Amino acid sequence: MDSTDCLQFSYPQCDPPLTKDASDIAQLRTLAEEVDAVVQDFADDIVDRLVRPEACRMVNLVAFVSTSADNVIPMDATSFDNRGLTQTDVTEGGMRIVKDGWYQVGAWCRSTVATDVQTRIRFLVNGDPATNFQGPGGLAQAGFQDCNGEEILELRTGDLITLSTRNGSPGTSVSYTAHLWMVLVAPND
């Protein structure tokens, strides 16, 4: 049996010198099964990459209070993990990567403080800075400063993503509330 150039599908052929198609039904079944397998793989890729890519979101339900200028905010709760809690690590206070690829990572942080401390945020990968500080946050209303940011990062399986803050007034007591999220944009496969 011959096969197509592109996807190597087997296709039925007549036995020469016959002029009518005398292909065997088994050959036609083989073609249908090969096409079905490729279409199913394509449908699975659409679900994995577009409909339900690796994605999760974490929060710190217990406000983190500190007088230090530099902090790592411990994320202590999962608010969403579409892979069944495999991407959120509340013990380490961050998100674990389960598939190599390029991820969009984002965060929002609120500082509850009476004065303007110019809160900034950045992302850490395995405890090391992966981005520059973003911000500074501005006064959302009296007593609150909000700061948000996002980045595209190439991450490897097992990497831990955490959120770091910095403010310009060391010694001032600041209460931090934060959300950290990520979504796989392009897998490395």
Side-chain angles (χ1 to χ4, degrees):
M1 244 188 329
D2 281 346
S3 59
T4 61
D5 293 335
C6 183
L7 296 173
Q8 303 303 309
F9 292 138
S10 311
Y11 61 88
Q13 286 188 307
C14 301
D15 290 327
L18 298 175
T19 55
K20 290 185 175 180
D21 184 354
S23 15
D24 190 295
I25 195 67
Q27 292 176 339
L28 195 56
R29 188 178 117 229
T30 300
L31 173 63
E33 288 173 345
E34 290 174 356
V35 169
D36 185 58
V38 168
V39 169
Q40 186 61 54
D41 286 346
F42 185 64
D44 292 345
D45 285 346
I46 288 172
V47 169
D48 286 345
R49 294 180 185 205
L50 297 175
V51 177
R52 197 169 181 252
E54 276 70 11
C56 67
R57 182 176 55 243
M58 296 185 79
V59 298
N60 68 324
L61 289 178
V62 178
F64 179 75
V65 180
S66 174
T67 57
S68 298
D70 293 291
N71 298 284
V72 175
I73 306 297
M75 299 295 157
D76 56 17
T78 300
S79 61
F80 172 77
D81 186 340
N82 71 351
R83 293 290 184 223
L85 301 179
T86 60
Q87 301 172 112
T88 54
D89 187 340
V90 294
T91 304
E92 296 293 325
M95 300 177 301
R96 286 268 175 219
I97 300 303
V98 296
K99 182 187 276 187
D100 291 0
W102 291 86
Y103 287 78
Q104 184 175 19
V105 179
W108 168 83
C109 181
R110 169 168 278 179
S111 303
T112 305
V113 61
T115 59
D116 183 6
V117 294
Q118 305 238 333
T119 302
R120 298 172 185 273
I121 61 172
R122 74 173 166 192
F123 303 104
L124 305 177
V125 176
N126 301 322
D128 295 324
T131 65
N132 292 323
F133 279 104
Q134 300 183 24
L139 291 173
Q141 55 186 334
F144 298 108
Q145 291 184 343
D146 292 343
C147 183
N148 63 33
E150 64 182 88
E151 292 283 344
I152 300 290
L153 300 173
E154 184 179 18
L155 301 168
R156 302 280 182 230
T157 301
D159 284 348
L160 178 71
I161 310 302
T162 53
L163 181 65
S164 171
T165 64
R166 172 175 283 171
N167 72 57
S169 299
T172 303
S173 180
V174 180
S175 177
Y176 297 97
T177 306
H179 296 252
L180 179 63
W181 58 267
M182 65 88 169
V183 63
L184 178 63
V185 176
N188 286 354
D189 56 11

